[in-house]
Amino acid sequence: MTTVHDLFAQGSHSFTDEDYEGALDFYSKALAIDNNHAEALLKRSATYQKLGQHNEAYDDAITALSIVQNESAKDSSVEAKALLRKGVAAFHLQEYSTAKVALDACRALNPELPTLATWTKKNDQELAKRAESDPSPAPAAAPSTPASATIADVTPATSPVPAHTSPATTPVPAPLTPAAHRVRHEWYQNDSFVTISVFIKNARDDMVDINITESALSVSVKMPTGSDYSLELEPLSHKVIANESRFEVLKTKIEIQLKKELVGIKWGALEGDDAHATSMASAGAAPAYPTSAKKPKNWDALEKEAAKEEEKADGDKALNQLFAQIYKDADDDTRRAMMKSFTESNGTCLSTNWDEVGKGTVETRPPEGMVAKKYNS
């Protein structure tokens, strides 16, 4: 019999593999068995976020928060995660004041929670933009929650759905672009860096907002259609050095290079727990280049094949350049000898001696072990 634990584990595996539709199905099946499973609700909320379904992500976060707050023995770590998920979902719904209250409450419980600082910064920036664009006096901001206050005082379990459900008083959010459906991203790695390519063409620097912390990556892009693309990796499966990471906006893609904190460790996943991390220098371990593509690729074999082709191309190119230089500097007899010998021998002989070549037809001379055959059209 399939248990909630089994379904939760399968959902987490699909989520790590970026199969968000599959993860959604597993988490939903788990919740059909136990609808009070707070962790499953939070993971499904994160999955909805990946799929761009932010109303559903908000609802799951609220439900999880209600369950945790009503438990006789509250788990503050789960409560902090629920507040973070609520804040992130509210941010995507452009409910920045609601997001601020949730994120401040999360900080009161766990100020070191991965990605909390990133989302707080992004939300504060949006609040500042809104304040600049609205000259009317703004209502007093909600006071920060002291560590001694209960979260129920800030976000009660029975709190109503925020103002985004009232279209008469709230601006309509810009259309969102589900990352998993419209924009492809891939990644690979070497000893020192994890490189992520987001394939968006003709993006401008002023359209791209990228935040990198030691445990999270946030990519936001204003699309030409007016929609928003968002890629949130939280938490990264391993820590990175933010100030040594970098990104570049190119014509065909956005390329992000994350500097590994642990050099030489091969990541088995981009985000979440990485149970498959290994040393890239370990015996028998071939370099791996994971990707969001569904079909696995043997990048080591492809890399070796490309190197061989490049080496071969360089050899042919050098030889052709040599022949071209000889022909360019040669006298008329030498040039005639080269043309006649190469043509009549079907490319198997190249001579510069006209006295020899001019005596008769130059025979085809295939390499040793091969036989020349006439081609009949």
Side-chain angles (χ1 to χ4, degrees):
M1 178 179 176
T2 304
T3 65
V4 172
H5 178 77
D6 293 334
L7 291 166
F8 183 85
Q10 288 175 297
S12 298
H13 181 74
S14 295
F15 188 94
T16 300
D17 287 344
E18 301 182 20
D19 178 12
Y20 302 123
E21 290 85 356
L24 183 62
D25 182 56
F26 285 122
Y27 291 137
S28 296
K29 287 178 179 177
L31 289 165
I33 298 174
D34 180 7
N35 61 2
N36 287 319
H37 197 296
E39 288 281 9
L41 281 163
L42 292 177
K43 289 296 290 186
R44 192 172 72 172
S45 175
T47 305
Y48 276 131
Q49 179 198 325
K50 294 291 187 181
L51 294 171
Q53 297 174 239
H54 300 297
N55 279 302
E56 291 82 355
Y58 183 88
D59 291 341
D60 273 1
I62 287 291
T63 303
L65 187 58
S66 174
I67 291 170
V68 175
Q69 290 177 345
N70 284 326
E71 291 177 344
S72 55
K74 294 181 182 180
D75 187 335
S76 61
S77 64
V78 178
E79 194 170 5
K81 291 178 184 177
L83 286 162
L84 177 61
R85 292 255 57 87
K86 177 185 176 182
V88 172
F91 173 88
H92 283 294
L93 291 166
Q94 297 188 0
E95 293 293 340
Y96 304 122
S97 296
T98 300
K100 177 175 174 57
V101 173
L103 295 173
D104 285 348
C106 176
R107 185 185 302 105
L109 282 176
N110 185 359
E112 302 301 323
L113 191 64
T115 75
L116 172 60
T118 299
W119 284 110
T120 300
K121 177 183 176 182
K122 292 178 67 172
N123 193 68
D124 288 345
Q125 289 174 343
E126 293 300 329
L127 283 171
K129 290 178 185 178
R130 181 163 290 186
E132 291 175 0
S133 61
D134 184 3
S136 61
S144 299
T145 308
S148 59
T150 62
I151 301 305
D153 294 334
V154 180
T155 312
T158 57
S159 62
V161 177
H164 72 264
T165 57
S166 175
T169 58
T170 304
V172 177
L176 295 156
T177 304
H181 292 165
R182 301 187 185 181
V183 176
R184 178 171 60 92
H185 74 274
E186 294 186 353
W187 66 287
Y188 63 92
Q189 62 185 299
N190 57 25
D191 279 348
S192 302
F193 287 91
V194 170
T195 301
I196 303 169
S197 297
V198 181
F199 294 94
I200 297 177
K201 293 182 179 180
N202 301 317
R204 302 192 309 271
D205 289 343
D206 60 347
M207 298 165 52
V208 179
D209 181 21
I210 296 178
N211 289 293
I212 303 171
T213 67
E214 69 172 14
S215 58
L217 168 67
S218 172
V219 180
S220 299
V221 183
K222 292 288 185 183
M223 305 292 282
T225 59
S227 62
D228 292 336
Y229 167 77
S230 177
L231 174 65
E232 308 295 339
L233 301 177
E234 45 161 331
L236 293 167
S237 60
H238 299 272
K239 289 185 178 181
V240 300
I241 304 175
N243 60 2
E244 294 184 27
S245 300
R246 52 186 180 266
F247 69 90
E248 187 175 6
V249 180
L250 305 172
K251 288 186 178 180
T252 58
K253 64 181 178 179
I254 300 167
E255 188 170 274
I256 305 151
Q257 290 189 316
L258 303 177
K259 178 63 182 295
K260 293 180 178 179
E261 184 178 83
L262 297 175
V263 175
I265 294 298
K266 182 178 74 175
W267 292 21
L270 267 181
E271 63 180 325
D273 295 332
D274 183 8
H276 304 291
T278 59
S279 170
M280 295 188 76
S282 60
Y289 303 84
T291 170
S292 61
K294 300 300 181 186
K295 294 182 179 179
K297 297 180 181 179
N298 187 339
W299 287 100
D300 187 47
L302 290 174
E303 188 176 44
K304 290 180 179 178
E305 182 179 345
K308 289 180 180 178
E309 290 297 324
E310 184 177 352
E311 183 179 349
K312 179 180 177 181
D314 287 344
D316 291 344
K317 183 178 179 180
L319 189 60
N320 288 334
Q321 286 178 339
L322 175 62
F323 290 154
Q325 187 64 41
I326 292 173
Y327 186 86
K328 177 182 177 183
D329 298 337
D331 56 28
D332 290 342
D333 283 346
T334 301
R335 289 182 179 180
R336 282 188 294 172
M338 293 176 70
M339 290 294 294
K340 186 174 185 296
S341 61
F342 189 81
T343 302
E344 293 181 351
S345 69
N346 295 304
T348 62
C349 176
L350 183 65
S351 173
T352 58
N353 188 346
W354 176 250
D355 291 338
E356 178 183 340
V357 172
K359 293 178 180 178
T361 302
V362 180
E363 297 180 357
T364 299
R365 300 175 187 175
E368 185 177 352
M370 300 183 68
V371 177
K373 292 185 178 181
K374 291 184 177 181
Y375 175 74
N376 296 321
S377 57

